[in-house]
Amino acid sequence: MYILSVFGSNFRENKETKMKEILFMFLLITNGVVETERVKMVTTIAELCKEDLNGISSAEGTKTSIVRILEQIRRFQDRIRKHIEDNYVDFIPNHTTSDVYIDEGESLLRETEHLLKNVESDARLALNSANVELTQCLEELREVAMGLKLSYRLLKIDQYFQCLEEANATKDYLEALNLLGKLKSLICCESSSDVDILFQKCDCYDTIKVRYHIQANILQQNLQQKFENLVKFSEKTFPSAKSVNLQVSKDVSQLQDTVLALFEARYNPMKLCDFLLENCIVPIITKPVSVDYSTEKDDYFQINISYSVKAANISLRPPYKQVFTHIKSHFECLENINIKVSANRYVFSIIGSHIRDKFMKLLIEECLMHSIPETMDEYRESTLLDDLQLFQQMLKDIYFLDSHKNNEFTAFSAKFNIIFQERFSVKIMESARGIMQKDLQDMITISDGNTGDEVKNNILLFPQCMISKGTLELTKLMERILRQPSNPCREINESDNEPNLFLSIISTILTTYCSDVPKIYDKLLESIPQQSALFYNNCMFLAHWVTKNADVGIPAHPVLVKTLQSTGLRIFKAQEDTQRSIVLDIMNNLDISDTHSIGPIPLKLVRQCLRQMELLKNVWLNVLPESVYNKSFGSILNEFFQYIIRRILTLEDISATVASELSELINVTLEKAPDLFKEKHEVLQISSWMKLQQLQMILNASLQEIIDQWCDGAGILTANYKAEELRHLIRALFQNTDRRAKALSRIV
């Protein structure tokens, strides 16, 4: 019924009673009047209703006033219908402004409101006596009330559209944005009141809604265009380089009004954010860049960023201080756009919400992590934490970072010392591995003058020998570790009672030495005797160094000492066995079985073995500690002597000629062997040395001399020979006679 009353039919003639008319106007005003206009109605209606309005005594006067107002409302609605149809349905040019209708509508509302107040008490009495008729009248009045309210809404919408066009013409974008907000509240209704439902069923509704969206898009485009005129971003790409230019207007008032309107118009800043991140921030962090920030222009601030588009060389990574400076300049250039756009949001906070995570991750991983010191000197000189704190505060001050949420830099600062310790440890291990790969043969004499006796009496002394220069360098590296403060991150005035955090690196270095060096030099240690001797000395020297510094708390130092000693001994013993095998392999060709003459070959083989041991002496004598050399060389000679003795003892028949030749062979050995030691008397320590000498004596002695040397089991021969061995030699050397039999009987 409402649509007919507004857009197709007049109000029906009111032929009801006076009470109906009063009730009609009462409900009309109650439902249709804008609250803020009620006060204004009083004066107008007072002028129109001068017939004793303080207490209406004449029903006819009241009826006349009501009829007159109803007629005015009917004519008013007819004109509104025509105006709305022309503008939003038929699109006929209409030069009448909505202001005329709005003023008239407000005048009618004021007049009816005032009349209602005067007849309200009489109407209430009349309503008590009305029943069915008044109920029907009530429904009709409700329709009229909604019609008037809807008419008023349509007029306000039309007025706002006209004002919006004027604001766009004068480029008053903030006012245009305000008008769009008012239009949205009238057009895009989220409630489901009767008036809203009727409004959405009007023929003009779709046209009004489309016009609203068009105006909203036009405003946003205008704002975007104006913003781009005030804030200019450009880039130029060359074959190997790129130049990015940012210009920000110095017209602060116009710029900030535009930015505020733009963001209130739901501006999507993704394009801006992506440009700043990809073309400015990422290169500043990851590449060497040239940044020229200028404030000298009269109209704008400008920053130009130039950089190579080629892959960045890691060694050319920009220092963090330069990165901080360039990023600060970048934000300073954009400072004028950083205005408050809502209760707790600034432009930079909006930009930050889009790029903050990538920015912070990139800055930490590609810049800060590579700026952590690697040496103690670098650590002491580093101001990274202080600089980062100032940089973080700067980002918070401009609202790019949220003080309560973005704690990545704080977390990095908390881990800084741990990362430094790890980085320092890695650096030390890299240095240690570099030292371990140095040539073992590059050697130096240490502990000059420390004799074996002195070393035995003082466990802190290391015997004179030669070690690799790399090993000495390694101990100096570990001594520098020992000199590091217990906690490199504590304040200078704090106590130094904490354990050295880097002591574990020493254990790692030495364990790595035991495992890696034998692998690095495996072929050399196997084939070159001097290499194995040096490695043995190196291990013993390192074990001695650990023992000497055991009181500083090197982790698992007893295990380290045993590991070093066993590793060095294993390598050296393997070389010692190799040298022993070489000598014995030569002697395996020894043939002295000919009963007439052994010939020259056995003597050549013996001389060859002695020459081999002479070569070994040349590479071991001055390298190994004297006691180790004597022990290891004596072991090889002992095997050599025992082999000769065993081969002679296996002969069944030794002629005088063969005995003489064997004696000569032994004599050569006895003459050369002492020269293999630094001190000739050291040969006496070889267990089979005396036995070999006695064998030479037996080969040249008479039967009686042998008996005398045995001396019924109390002579000197008993120290090295068993009775059976001596009896076998007598049988081989002497013919079977009574005299030999008598002599054999005495050797028991």
Side-chain angles (χ1 to χ4, degrees):
M1 294 176 64
Y2 165 73
I3 298 298
L4 293 175
S5 68
V6 176
F7 297 113
S9 65
N10 297 324
F11 288 109
R12 65 176 54 86
E13 293 295 330
N14 191 346
K15 302 214 175 164
E16 304 295 336
T17 63
K18 175 182 176 181
M19 188 57 65
K20 284 187 177 181
E21 293 170 348
I22 294 174
L23 180 60
F24 174 80
M25 291 307 302
F26 170 75
L27 293 176
L28 172 66
I29 300 305
T30 302
N31 287 281
V33 173
V34 178
E35 184 67 26
T36 58
E37 300 297 331
R38 289 181 182 275
V39 177
K40 297 179 182 179
M41 295 179 182
V42 175
T43 304
T44 304
I45 296 180
E47 294 175 355
L48 297 173
C49 304
K50 296 179 180 179
E51 302 95 349
D52 194 15
L53 292 177
N54 292 325
I56 300 178
S57 58
S58 172
E60 290 299 325
T62 302
K63 181 177 180 179
T64 300
S65 298
I66 293 174
V67 170
R68 178 175 53 80
I69 292 175
L70 287 174
E71 181 63 25
Q72 290 178 355
I73 291 174
R74 184 175 67 253
R75 290 197 302 270
F76 175 66
Q77 287 186 317
D78 287 342
R79 293 198 304 275
I80 292 174
R81 173 181 56 77
K82 183 65 169 58
H83 178 77
I84 296 300
E85 285 180 349
D86 288 347
N87 282 281
Y88 299 98
V89 180
D90 299 328
F91 302 102
I92 299 174
N94 189 335
H95 302 291
T96 305
T97 63
S98 58
D99 293 341
V100 176
Y101 299 116
I102 289 176
D103 292 340
E104 185 177 352
E106 289 179 350
S107 177
L108 285 171
L109 289 172
R110 287 194 298 268
E111 185 176 350
T112 52
E113 174 71 12
H114 186 74
L115 180 60
L116 176 63
K117 288 181 179 178
N118 287 278
V119 301
E120 185 175 4
S121 57
D122 292 340
R124 186 176 296 111
L125 294 173
L127 285 173
N128 291 332
S129 61
N131 292 313
V132 178
E133 292 182 1
L134 291 182
T135 301
Q136 183 179 356
C137 183
L138 177 62
E139 293 300 324
E140 293 176 356
L141 291 175
R142 282 177 179 170
E143 290 184 18
V144 174
M146 285 190 291
L148 185 59
K149 191 172 184 179
L150 179 57
S151 299
Y152 188 78
R153 176 183 290 191
L154 290 169
L155 287 174
K156 293 300 289 185
I157 289 173
D158 186 60
Q159 181 191 36
Y160 290 152
F161 274 132
Q162 293 179 19
C163 294
L164 182 60
E165 291 176 358
E166 294 175 1
N168 286 332
T170 59
K171 297 184 179 180
D172 188 353
Y173 297 123
L174 285 177
E175 176 62 21
L177 191 65
N178 180 47
L179 291 168
L180 277 175
K182 292 179 179 180
L183 282 169
K184 183 178 180 181
S185 65
L186 293 174
I187 298 171
C188 304
C189 305
E190 297 181 357
S191 62
S192 57
S193 66
D194 293 338
V195 175
D196 293 334
I197 294 173
L198 289 174
F199 174 53
Q200 293 171 9
K201 291 180 180 180
C202 291
D203 294 339
C204 61
Y205 174 74
D206 291 334
T207 304
I208 291 173
K209 192 171 183 180
V210 169
R211 184 175 178 183
Y212 163 76
H213 287 296
I214 291 173
Q215 291 296 326
N217 289 332
I218 290 173
L219 175 61
Q220 192 170 71
Q221 290 173 8
N222 290 339
L223 287 170
Q224 178 72 29
Q225 183 178 3
K226 187 172 182 180
F227 176 75
E228 291 176 355
N229 289 334
L230 296 169
V231 182
K232 297 179 180 180
F233 301 90
S234 62
E235 56 178 308
K236 292 182 180 179
T237 303
F238 304 97
S240 61
K242 191 173 187 178
S243 177
V244 179
N245 185 269
L246 278 66
Q247 292 182 1
V248 181
S249 173
K250 289 185 177 180
D251 188 346
V252 178
S253 177
Q254 184 179 189
L255 175 61
Q256 293 188 349
D257 284 349
T258 303
V259 172
L260 179 60
L262 188 63
F263 277 91
E264 287 186 0
R266 298 183 180 276
Y267 167 65
N268 186 348
M270 282 303 300
K271 183 178 178 181
L272 170 63
C273 294
D274 290 342
F275 182 92
L276 295 177
L277 179 66
E278 299 301 328
N279 294 287
C280 301
I281 294 177
V282 171
I284 285 174
I285 295 174
T286 61
K287 296 175 178 285
V289 298
S290 173
V291 176
D292 180 19
Y293 175 47
S294 173
T295 61
E296 298 175 358
K297 303 291 184 181
D298 293 334
D299 299 332
Y300 54 83
F301 298 102
Q302 176 176 277
I303 187 169
N304 186 271
I305 305 171
S306 303
Y307 51 88
S308 172
V309 294
K310 296 180 180 179
N313 190 330
I314 296 178
S315 62
L316 299 177
R317 193 186 307 274
Y320 79 89
K321 289 188 177 182
Q322 186 182 81
V323 171
F324 286 177
T325 300
H326 291 340
I327 291 177
K328 184 178 180 181
S329 298
H330 173 263
F331 282 116
E332 284 180 357
C333 183
L334 297 170
E335 185 177 7
N336 282 348
I337 72 170
N338 189 30
I339 62 172
K340 191 173 185 179
V341 296
S342 63
N344 297 313
R345 300 191 78 193
Y346 285 75
V347 173
F348 280 178
S349 65
I350 295 173
I351 294 175
S353 66
H354 290 283
I355 69 173
R356 186 184 299 124
D357 293 341
K358 291 182 180 179
F359 165 77
M360 298 187 72
K361 181 179 180 182
L362 190 70
L363 186 63
I364 291 173
E365 294 181 358
E366 297 298 328
C367 179
L368 298 181
M369 288 296 292
H370 297 279
S371 301
I372 295 176
E374 295 183 347
T375 67
M376 191 59 65
D377 291 338
E378 290 177 358
Y379 178 84
R380 294 190 182 101
E381 296 173 0
S382 176
T383 59
L384 175 57
L385 291 182
D386 294 335
D387 296 339
L388 180 59
Q389 185 176 4
L390 293 175
F391 181 71
Q392 181 182 26
Q393 189 59 49
M394 183 273 294
L395 294 177
K396 289 181 179 179
D397 290 342
I398 64 176
Y399 304 102
F400 183 80
L401 294 184
D402 189 324
S403 301
H404 304 291
K405 295 180 181 179
N406 306 124
N407 299 313
E408 288 85 348
F409 289 155
T410 303
F412 172 82
S413 299
K415 295 189 296 184
F416 174 82
N417 291 330
I418 297 174
I419 298 173
F420 162 69
Q421 292 168 16
E422 294 174 351
R423 190 73 57 84
F424 182 63
S425 300
V426 170
K427 189 69 175 179
I428 290 176
M429 285 305 303
E430 288 176 355
S431 300
R433 286 192 173 92
I435 294 171
M436 293 175 196
Q437 293 176 356
K438 291 185 177 180
D439 188 2
L440 290 175
Q441 205 91 3
D442 188 9
M443 50 192 174
I444 185 173
T445 301
I446 60 167
S447 303
D448 193 15
N450 287 351
T451 64
D453 292 337
E454 291 174 335
V455 171
K456 287 180 182 178
N457 297 328
N458 188 347
I459 60 172
L460 296 179
L461 294 178
F462 192 75
Q464 176 180 325
C465 65
M466 300 190 81
I467 64 171
S468 302
K469 289 182 179 179
T471 302
L472 196 60
E473 190 176 345
L474 197 63
T475 58
K476 290 180 180 179
L477 175 64
M478 293 188 293
E479 285 169 358
R480 287 202 301 272
I481 297 173
L482 292 180
R483 290 194 296 269
Q484 299 307 319
S486 301
N487 183 356
C489 312
R490 76 181 195 284
E491 298 296 331
I492 296 176
N493 296 328
E494 290 183 12
S495 62
D496 194 15
N497 296 325
E498 302 177 32
N500 190 323
L501 299 176
F502 300 115
L503 288 179
S504 59
I505 305 177
I506 294 177
S507 300
T508 305
I509 290 173
L510 296 176
T511 303
T512 302
Y513 186 89
C514 292
S515 62
D516 287 7
V517 175
K519 295 177 183 177
I520 296 172
Y521 301 102
D522 56 341
K523 299 298 182 183
L524 296 178
L525 292 174
E526 182 180 347
S527 58
I528 301 179
Q530 191 176 71
Q531 294 271 348
S532 56
L534 282 169
F535 180 73
Y536 169 81
N537 291 347
N538 292 343
C539 289
M540 297 303 152
F541 181 74
L542 292 173
H544 176 78
W545 183 89
V546 174
T547 302
K548 188 170 64 174
N549 293 283
D551 58 335
V552 301
I554 299 174
H557 68 272
V559 176
L560 280 177
V561 171
K562 290 182 180 179
T563 302
L564 286 164
Q565 290 175 340
S566 61
T567 302
L569 188 61
R570 173 174 58 83
I571 297 298
F572 184 69
K573 283 296 181 183
Q575 184 60 236
E576 186 179 303
D577 292 341
T578 298
Q579 295 302 317
R580 186 180 292 109
S581 297
I582 291 172
V583 172
L584 295 180
D585 287 344
I586 295 172
M587 293 300 291
N588 281 337
N589 297 317
L590 183 68
D591 184 6
I592 54 175
S593 60
D594 193 327
T595 58
H596 299 288
S597 175
I598 62 174
I601 294 178
L603 186 58
K604 288 182 180 180
L605 294 175
V606 169
R607 291 183 184 277
Q608 184 180 350
C609 289
L610 291 171
R611 282 197 301 272
Q612 177 64 30
M613 286 185 278
E614 181 72 25
L615 294 174
L616 187 60
K617 169 197 170 184
N618 293 337
V619 297
W620 272 8
L621 181 61
N622 294 321
V623 173
L624 290 166
E626 185 177 356
S627 60
V628 176
Y629 174 85
N630 293 339
K631 183 178 179 181
S632 58
F633 221 88
S635 174
I636 296 173
L637 279 174
N638 190 56
E639 285 284 339
F640 175 61
F641 295 163
Q642 287 182 349
Y643 186 86
I644 295 174
I645 294 171
R646 285 196 303 271
R647 291 299 301 274
I648 294 175
L649 288 177
T650 59
L651 296 176
E652 297 292 337
D653 185 12
I654 303 175
S655 64
T657 301
V658 171
S660 176
E661 292 174 341
L662 291 175
S663 175
E664 177 63 22
L665 185 147
I666 293 173
N667 187 62
V668 170
T669 302
L670 295 175
E671 287 180 354
K672 295 293 183 181
D675 294 334
L676 297 175
F677 294 91
K678 190 173 184 179
E679 301 292 339
K680 292 185 178 182
H681 64 81
E682 292 294 337
V683 75
L684 299 176
Q685 303 299 321
I686 301 175
S687 60
S688 57
W689 171 256
M690 185 62 69
K691 188 172 184 178
L692 185 62
Q693 285 183 318
Q694 290 176 341
L695 179 58
Q696 184 187 31
M697 181 275 294
I698 292 172
L699 291 173
N700 295 321
S702 64
L703 186 60
Q704 184 59 47
E705 289 174 335
I706 295 172
I707 296 301
D708 292 343
Q709 292 288 330
W710 179 258
C711 192
D712 297 328
I716 58 174
L717 288 178
T718 58
N720 298 292
Y721 285 91
K722 297 178 182 179
E724 185 58 35
E725 290 177 332
L726 193 58
R727 289 165 63 88
H728 178 80
L729 283 172
I730 291 174
R731 290 192 186 98
L733 289 169
F734 300 98
Q735 294 182 350
N736 188 9
T737 61
D738 292 341
R739 189 162 168 261
R740 189 186 78 172
K742 185 177 179 181
L744 290 173
S745 64
R746 297 182 60 182
I747 298 178
V748 293

